[in-house]
Amino acid sequence: MNVRMEITYQTPKGTETAFTSDEMRAPKALLIAEDLQKTGRVSDIQFVDNHDNSWNMKELSRQMEEIQTEPHNITVYFDGGYDLKTRTSGLGCAIYYEQNEKAYRLRKNARVEELESNNEAEYAACHLALQELEYLDVHHLPVTITGDSLVVIMQLKGEWPCYEPQLSRWADRIDNLISRMGIDPEFNLVSRKKNKEADHLASQALQDIEITSTTEQSN
């Protein structure tokens, strides 16, 4: 989770001023705040996330303890493929996360028939991955969302316009899902080679091989 610090500083003679820090990871912010408190000149520190949720030091420390018991440090890989001959799509996603000091990998794929293009399949795969995060009860955390579709990544980042109605509807679904969970997405474009796990899951879906699994990973 990323936060910024809003600090009230007081000089020895009682003059006060306020500072706002850059955004940083919550554990780092807590360490800096603890150091600042040792000066004896900080009268108040609040931690604020991108959704304007606010905590004091005690509350944020408790929040970080609770996060350890929930999925966090999440990276999502997604990929979609479209078979023009059969007019079917294969969707695949792999989700890496930590929980209770252990690392996990979730794999999920799906075969669908109502899509009309490879780009639409890519969007649907991203939506599938986010639905899996919602099932894991992920909320108000940063999530890295990784794919090899230049169109989908650039449109979801808001750097490219989305003119096609079908793709626009998928983008709206994804935006609504992200907003509902309160997550902070970082969209990451990679080569197909670096996205081969999600690509393989999508290919398996097209072959009607269903994959749904969660496994613990060695550190």
Side-chain angles (χ1 to χ4, degrees):
M1 181 171 64
N2 294 331
V3 296
R4 66 182 185 274
M5 292 187 292
E6 295 184 352
I7 306 159
T8 302
Y9 180 85
Q10 187 177 67
T11 69
K13 293 185 178 181
T15 302
E16 284 190 352
T17 190
F19 297 97
T20 299
S21 76
D22 293 332
E23 189 177 275
M24 65 189 79
R25 300 286 289 173
K28 179 181 178 181
L30 282 169
L31 286 173
I32 293 172
E34 289 171 2
D35 195 61
L36 286 170
Q37 280 196 327
K38 292 176 183 178
T39 67
R41 295 181 182 179
V42 176
S43 60
D44 183 57
I45 301 178
Q46 293 291 315
F47 304 87
V48 185
D49 68 11
N50 289 338
H51 301 278
D52 290 328
N53 298 306
S54 179
W55 301 268
N56 60 31
M57 281 190 65
K58 185 176 181 180
E59 291 167 341
L60 185 60
S61 295
R62 189 183 307 119
Q63 174 80 355
M64 296 310 298
E65 290 175 3
E66 291 174 355
I67 283 175
Q68 293 302 313
T69 67
E70 301 172 356
H72 59 281
N73 289 347
I74 302 162
T75 299
V76 170
Y77 295 86
F78 72 90
D79 197 37
Y82 181 72
D83 188 329
L84 186 59
K85 290 182 179 179
T86 61
R87 302 186 68 82
T88 58
S89 300
L91 319 179
C93 68
I95 300 171
Y96 290 82
Y97 63 95
E98 296 175 17
Q99 187 173 15
N100 293 320
E101 299 183 352
K102 295 181 179 179
Y104 295 92
R105 179 187 66 174
L106 182 156
R107 297 190 302 153
K108 175 73 175 179
N109 69 359
R111 183 175 183 266
V112 294
E113 298 180 354
E114 63 269 22
L115 308 181
E116 298 179 0
S117 70
N118 193 74
N119 283 335
E120 196 177 1
E122 292 277 8
Y123 264 109
C126 182
H127 188 265
L128 174 70
L130 290 170
Q131 283 183 313
E132 291 301 313
L133 292 186
E134 189 172 39
Y135 298 150
L136 287 171
D137 199 26
V138 173
H139 57 89
H140 298 96
L141 289 173
V143 175
T144 301
I145 301 173
T146 304
D148 57 35
S149 170
L150 181 62
V151 170
V152 172
I153 294 295
M154 296 303 282
Q155 287 180 345
L156 289 176
K157 289 173 72 173
E159 295 184 14
W160 284 10
C162 186
Y163 297 119
E164 296 179 49
Q166 293 102 326
L167 301 189
S168 183
R169 284 192 289 270
W170 278 109
D172 288 343
R173 291 187 191 110
I174 288 168
D175 286 343
N176 290 337
L177 191 50
I178 286 171
S179 178
R180 186 163 72 233
M181 291 190 289
I183 63 175
D184 296 315
E186 177 185 344
F187 294 103
N188 183 30
L189 179 67
V190 296
S191 67
R192 188 170 183 178
K193 182 178 179 180
K194 292 184 178 180
N195 199 35
K196 59 183 179 181
E197 185 174 22
D199 175 71
H200 184 56
L201 286 164
S203 297
Q204 287 178 306
L206 282 171
Q207 298 165 24
D208 216 15
I209 301 171
E210 183 179 345
I211 305 292
T212 301
S213 70
T214 300
T215 55
E216 186 177 338
Q217 305 293 288
S218 59
N219 293 323

